[in-house]
Amino acid sequence: MQLLRPSIIVAAAIAVVTPPATAQTAPAAPKANEQVIVPQVDRRDVKVPRFPSKDFEVGVFAGTYSAQNFGTSAVAGLRLGYHITEDFFVQANFGQTKVSDELFRQFLAGGIFTSDKARLKYINLSAGVNVLPGEIFIGRNNAKASAVYLTGGVGTTTFNDQKRQTINLGLGMRVLFTDRAAITVDLRDHIFSLDLLGKRQSTQNVELTAGFSFFF
């Protein structure tokens, strides 16, 4: 009887343990962060449109000016503003009116002014804050943006050849009828001192106006 060689026995054992090779090896699975499909897209430059900021405001106003001791008269003026944010803005106002001393002419010969009326004009710079932004309804289905605001500032009032430093405090409401147009109503108190009756005194001069503003 012929004995098998050790090399033949080892080769036979390896052949039994090793599985037969398949005809085609399966592809490896892609990694989690590996991009499977690479898009072939030609990128193009996009020009972003520029929309107007509409932060600047220019407008006109008219109403009544109640000068202490001299009654009420018509006033008109111009307004220029800049809206820093949605809540805060600054504003410059110029207004003028003609004040009558008719009351004093009843018991003072010649009155106080050289003529029966004296021109009063003012210019001021104010800061404002929107405290109650919201909407106002006109009819059932038509709503317009609105805001109630507070203002305060300093300026100069010229009256009967006297130029006085003035403090103004006010309350107003703005209603936007379009993106660029608004109607405003303002109530302001102009506080300054006068020396027309032989004694300097602080005066409270209340102004009530309505105006139209344009934003750009």
Side-chain angles (χ1 to χ4, degrees):
M1 183 176 181
Q2 187 177 2
L3 298 176
L4 297 176
R5 296 181 179 179
S7 59
I8 297 175
I9 297 174
V10 172
I14 294 174
V16 172
V17 174
T18 304
T22 58
Q24 184 176 4
T25 305
K31 297 181 180 179
N33 296 329
E34 184 179 356
Q35 188 173 0
V36 178
I37 300 175
V38 179
Q40 301 295 327
V41 179
D42 294 333
R43 298 188 178 276
R44 60 188 180 91
D45 295 332
V46 178
K47 186 177 181 181
V48 180
R50 297 183 62 185
F51 295 96
S53 62
K54 293 175 286 189
D55 293 332
F56 290 93
E57 174 188 4
V58 61
V60 295
F61 61 87
T64 60
Y65 188 100
S66 180
Q68 184 173 327
N69 300 323
F70 295 97
T72 302
S73 55
V75 65
L78 301 174
R79 176 176 294 130
L80 178 63
Y82 176 70
H83 292 257
I84 303 171
T85 66
E86 292 183 355
D87 297 324
F88 299 96
F89 61 92
V90 292
Q91 197 176 79
N93 293 274
F94 171 79
Q96 65 176 5
T97 182
K98 287 186 177 182
V99 178
S100 173
D101 66 347
E102 181 181 357
L103 178 64
F104 291 93
R105 289 179 180 269
Q106 296 178 6
F107 56 87
L108 288 178
I112 296 177
F113 308 146
T114 56
S115 61
D116 59 341
K117 290 186 179 181
R119 185 181 301 275
L120 183 149
K121 59 183 180 181
Y122 65 81
I123 184 170
N124 57 49
L125 180 64
S126 304
V129 56
N130 298 319
V131 292
L132 291 175
E135 291 182 333
I136 184 171
F137 284 84
I138 303 175
R140 178 177 298 179
N141 301 318
N142 194 4
K144 300 297 182 181
S146 64
V148 175
Y149 55 86
L150 301 174
T151 59
V154 296
T156 301
T157 299
T158 303
F159 180 36
N160 197 38
D161 297 329
Q162 295 187 33
K163 183 176 289 187
R164 299 300 184 190
Q165 183 177 358
T166 306
I167 297 173
N168 75 86
L169 302 172
L171 169 70
M173 183 174 184
R174 180 190 309 109
V175 179
L176 288 163
F177 279 86
T178 68
D179 291 340
R180 293 181 176 271
I183 290 179
T184 58
V185 177
D186 282 271
L187 177 65
R188 304 199 184 197
D189 186 11
H190 301 261
I191 306 170
F192 58 90
S193 62
L194 273 180
D195 185 6
L196 294 178
L197 304 176
K199 181 181 178 180
R200 175 172 291 191
Q201 62 175 348
S202 178
T203 62
Q204 308 278 336
N205 307 274
V206 179
E207 180 186 46
L208 176 62
T209 62
F212 176 81
S213 295
F214 178 78
F215 296 86
F216 63 95

